[in-house]
Every structure is written in structure tokens, then in C-alpha cells.
Amino acid sequence: MPQIVFQSPLGTLGLSSNTHAITTLSFLPPQTTDLGGLDDPVLAQAYEELQEYFAGKRRVFSVPCEPQKGTLFQRAVWGALQEIPYGECVSYKTIAARIGNPKAVRAVGGANNKNPIAILIPCHRVIGASGSLVGYASGVDKKVFLLNHEGYSLPSKSI
């Protein structure tokens, strides 16, 4: 499976593809070195789109994403996450309602936590019903950075 390392303002990101779509995007330890893989067109596209995103020139990702694992429920949540516009946030409760399971708020949180393709599948755009950040698998500091980067105004007591 082709892989690359991307140095972002948030630290080192690792991306993998199945040559048709991105299968993982995760935060890696800082000492991780480049894994090659830019000869894979999907990884090259993701690399370019992430550069544009972090430079403030891209708001929508077009690179295909295909998580290789996940339950039907998790996949439904991840699909709903991809519909949240840049710079906007919705609650876990809203996502639960959008996938037709309004009582599954905690399960939506669990699916967010298991998202294998961070940033491209924007789980950082989901917050608590009260406006609180609640959490982020890679650290709330990264969630705050991404939301600020996208121009979302965080309520002062959410941080």
C-alpha cells in the first residue's frame, strides 16, 4: 500500500492509499521520515490538496477517501462528516439525526474517535451541543488549530 509523509503546521501526517483512494491520514511522531509514494497519483493529489488547505487556498477536498475498516454505522457517520462545510461546526446530536439515529449521540462520538482519515474526513468540525469542543482523538489543541484555520469562531468557554 503506497504511503507518504506530509509535514503540516500540526506536525507530521502519514497518508496511505489503495491507489484508488486515501485509506488513512493520521498524526505521526515528529521523527517519522518520508515514506516515498508521490508516484501514486492519489497520494500526489492528497499532498497537493493538503498544501493548498494549509496555505488557505482550498476549502473542499476532492481526493477520494475510502476507509478500509469500520462498521456500517461508523461509515455512515464518516459520510455525514464529509458534508459539513468548511468553517462550520455541527453537534454530535446533529450528526446522529442526519444518519437517522437521533439517540446515537455517544456512538457518533465513538465513530468520530475512530475516523481513520483525519482532516480529509473532517471530524474536527463536530462539537458538543453546548458549543464545547468535547475532544479530538489527536488532541484538542489540533482541533482548535483546525477550527481557527477554517475561520470558525470558538466560544471563549469552549476551549
Side-chain angles (χ1 to χ4, degrees):
M1 186 175 299
Q3 298 177 319
I4 59 167
V5 169
F6 180 84
Q7 298 300 331
S8 81
L10 288 170
T12 306
L13 304 176
L15 291 91
S16 300
S17 91
N18 61 9
T19 71
H20 303 291
I22 297 299
T23 56
T24 62
L25 189 159
S26 56
F27 294 91
L28 300 175
Q31 67 275 15
T32 306
T33 58
D34 190 13
L35 302 170
L38 279 179
D39 54 334
D40 177 272
V42 172
L43 288 173
Q45 179 184 353
Y47 191 93
E48 181 178 332
E49 289 185 12
L50 285 166
Q51 284 183 315
E52 293 168 354
Y53 171 79
F54 284 115
K57 297 177 182 176
R58 176 173 289 275
R59 293 176 170 235
V60 177
F61 294 106
S62 61
V63 65
C65 294
E66 288 180 8
Q68 299 299 291
K69 296 181 181 178
T71 65
L72 289 176
F73 178 84
Q74 289 170 329
R75 289 172 181 265
V77 169
W78 300 334
L81 297 178
Q82 291 178 289
E83 296 172 12
I84 305 169
Y86 178 97
E88 294 183 23
C89 287
V90 301
S91 69
Y92 294 90
K93 183 176 182 178
T94 299
I95 294 296
R98 285 184 183 173
I99 64 167
N101 201 341
K103 294 184 179 184
V105 177
R106 292 177 78 89
V108 166
N112 252 24
N113 185 272
K114 301 289 186 201
N115 175 14
I117 308 175
I119 304 170
L120 299 176
I121 296 180
C123 54
H124 61 276
R125 296 179 187 157
V126 183
I127 59 176
S130 67
S132 61
L133 296 182
V134 182
Y136 189 61
S138 299
V140 174
D141 59 324
K142 289 178 172 65
K143 184 172 191 164
V144 168
F145 176 93
L146 291 166
L147 293 176
N148 283 332
H149 175 72
E150 293 183 6
Y152 182 77
S153 296
L154 295 166
S156 59
K157 62 181 179 179
S158 68
I159 302 172

